[in-house]
Amino acid sequence: MYRTVKDFLQEWQEEAELTKSVIGAVTDEKKNQAIAEGHNTLSWLSWHLATTPAFFGGGVGLELHTSADLANEPQSIKEVVETYEAVTAEFAKQASSLSDEALEQQVDFLGAKVARGVILRKLVNHQIHHRGQMTVLLRQAGLTVPGVYGPTKEQQLG
């Protein structure tokens, strides 16, 4: 749980940049890579990561204002990256208006009373979770896996 807005914003910025690097490693040619038939693709996961901040933002009482059409997935990964950048920047801007006290307040979220700071933590965890799935799919697709919390095997050899 985040107890200060400053702590959230610092980690959000760092994690968003890491997530953007993973989404940016996807190519249009390999965006349909899935672990197996019928499972989430790199494209679906990328778009999911670009759009879910709006969902979590609503949970903490934020309303994201972006020109991106979050209801329709773009055809190119470049457009997904641009949407992700816009959404994460807007999320940070809106979240900066919260007070530290607001993070302690309980709100209704998915049928339970939850502190806003917990919802923000779940947002970051959600990004990390799907980013991890994407790194496996990137490797499976033969694409370059960016180092996230340290160098990849290829980066150590290079």
Side-chain angles (χ1 to χ4, degrees):
M1 175 172 153
Y2 293 102
R3 299 196 186 282
T4 70
V5 174
K6 178 183 175 189
D7 287 347
F8 167 72
L9 291 172
Q10 180 178 343
E11 189 168 30
W12 178 246
Q13 181 65 35
E14 293 166 4
E15 295 299 330
E17 284 299 315
L18 293 171
T19 300
K20 185 175 82 170
S21 74
V22 172
I23 295 171
V26 178
T27 65
D28 287 333
E29 296 75 29
K30 300 283 186 153
K31 70 182 183 180
N32 293 318
Q33 179 71 43
I35 195 86
E37 184 70 31
H39 287 259
N40 295 334
T41 64
L42 282 168
S43 179
W44 186 91
L45 288 163
S46 297
W47 187 241
H48 180 65
L49 287 170
T51 59
T52 53
F55 170 77
F56 282 92
V60 297
L62 304 178
E63 187 177 329
L64 300 189
H65 304 286
T66 176
S67 62
D69 179 4
L70 302 184
N72 295 299
E73 182 178 349
Q75 292 301 304
S76 76
I77 291 297
K78 179 181 182 286
E79 291 173 279
V80 174
V81 170
E82 290 168 356
T83 299
Y84 184 78
E85 289 174 326
V87 168
T88 56
E90 177 65 14
F91 194 95
K93 178 181 171 188
Q94 293 291 324
S96 68
S97 70
L98 294 170
S99 67
D100 293 344
E101 295 77 24
L103 299 185
E104 301 277 346
Q105 293 173 340
Q106 301 278 315
V107 295
D108 289 320
F109 186 69
L110 300 175
K113 289 285 191 185
V114 183
R116 283 186 178 97
V118 170
I119 297 169
L120 293 176
R121 175 80 257 161
K122 288 181 184 296
L123 167 61
V124 172
N125 290 350
H126 179 263
Q127 295 266 308
I128 293 167
H129 164 71
H130 287 307
R131 189 173 68 209
Q133 291 176 321
M134 289 182 70
T135 61
V136 171
L137 295 177
L138 286 169
R139 187 166 308 283
Q140 192 180 43
L143 297 171
T144 301
V145 178
V148 176
Y149 293 129
T152 61
K153 183 176 182 177
E154 294 80 5
Q155 290 170 328
Q156 290 177 340
L157 298 174

